[in-house]
Amino acid sequence: MEEKTAAQLKRDALLHQKKNHYLRVGLVMTALITLLAVVGAFWTPYEPTAIAGGAKFAAPSLGHLFGTDNFGRDIFSRVLYGARISLSVGFIAVGVALVSGGLLGAIAGFYGGRVDNVIMRCMDILLSIPSVLLALAIVAAFGTSVINLMIATGISTVPSYARLVRSSILSIKDQEFVEAARAVGTSDAVIITQHILPNCLAPILVQATFGVATAI
């Protein structure tokens, strides 16, 4: 019965997505931006750092789609070239925060009690520190590099994902399908990863979407 219900929920979700025109537009735009960023890593209309003194502050045209800057550099080429770094920072930072915060939040929400208290008090300590200041402190401690910046940005947003996942799990863990999984001897790890977390994906994905923009 549980598998049938899960399959029906998946079919309903896919049907809803097919009817959601805004979702399709968003996916197309995201895919286009990602494709341009990938292409920009290998090819750009002009050399991103090439200086042309006679073409300063040129208006957008067929030759320079976004115009040029104060050094005569083609802005469109620079956007394409720089987008790969921006997207990498956004996705990797959110990935670090999502995995770490999601795991901590899932453990705290599922087990409760002292485990929940210890984890969430640690998250409260992190939340009391401004995220930008925390990221700067981590970069200062481990060195200035893009990788350290991604990790620092991700760690600074871990508490947000931990609290979100915890609250979602608290509203789900006592439902009947979880009790049924416990009754047949399913392990806690399987219950969390296969039964609870899939039902918490909607708010997590929304938070992650905004998180990518914030990280960039």
Side-chain angles (χ1 to χ4, degrees), residues 2 109-110 168-188 190-200:
E2 184 182 344
F110 186 79
S168 299
I169 286 183
L170 287 176
S171 65
I172 292 176
K173 71 174 186 177
D174 293 326
Q175 293 190 15
E176 293 181 356
F177 67 91
V178 177
E179 296 295 336
R182 284 199 185 101
V184 298
T186 306
S187 66
D188 291 346
V190 173
I191 292 176
I192 292 174
T193 57
Q194 297 187 14
H195 297 277
I196 295 180
L197 284 179
N199 289 280
C200 304

Side-chain angles (χ1 to χ4, degrees), residues 44-186:
T44 54
Y46 298 89
E47 180 65 30
T49 58
I51 296 176
K56 296 180 180 179
F57 297 115
S61 63
L62 293 178
H64 301 281
L65 293 180
F66 291 174
T68 60
D69 63 8
N70 57 324
F71 291 107
R73 297 173 298 190
D74 183 62
I75 296 177
F76 182 66
S77 298
R78 293 175 64 78
V79 168
L80 287 181
Y81 188 77
R84 59 193 178 93
I85 298 177
S86 297
L87 291 179
S88 298
V89 170
F91 283 112
I92 293 179
V94 168
V96 170
L98 184 60
V99 173
S100 303
L103 180 61
L104 292 172
I107 294 173
F110 186 79
Y111 291 104
R114 292 184 178 179
V115 175
D116 181 22
N117 196 27
V118 170
I119 293 177
M120 296 317 297
R121 294 301 73 76
C122 292
M123 296 299 101
D124 289 340
I125 292 173
L126 286 177
L127 280 174
S128 67
I129 305 173
S131 59
V132 174
L133 180 61
L134 178 61
L136 289 174
I138 294 174
V139 169
F142 296 100
T144 54
S145 69
V146 176
I147 299 298
N148 288 341
L149 176 63
M150 295 174 184
I151 296 174
T153 306
I155 292 176
S156 66
T157 55
V158 163
S160 300
Y161 291 93
R163 293 170 70 91
L164 177 63
V165 173
R166 174 183 176 272
S167 63
S168 299
I169 286 183
L170 287 176
S171 65
I172 292 176
K173 71 174 186 177
D174 293 326
Q175 293 190 15
E176 293 181 356
F177 67 91
V178 177
E179 296 295 336
R182 284 199 185 101
V184 298
T186 306

Side-chain angles (χ1 to χ4, degrees), residues 20-31:
N20 191 333
H21 300 294
Y22 295 107
L23 176 63
R24 285 187 287 180
V25 172
L27 289 175
V28 170
M29 292 178 64
T30 302

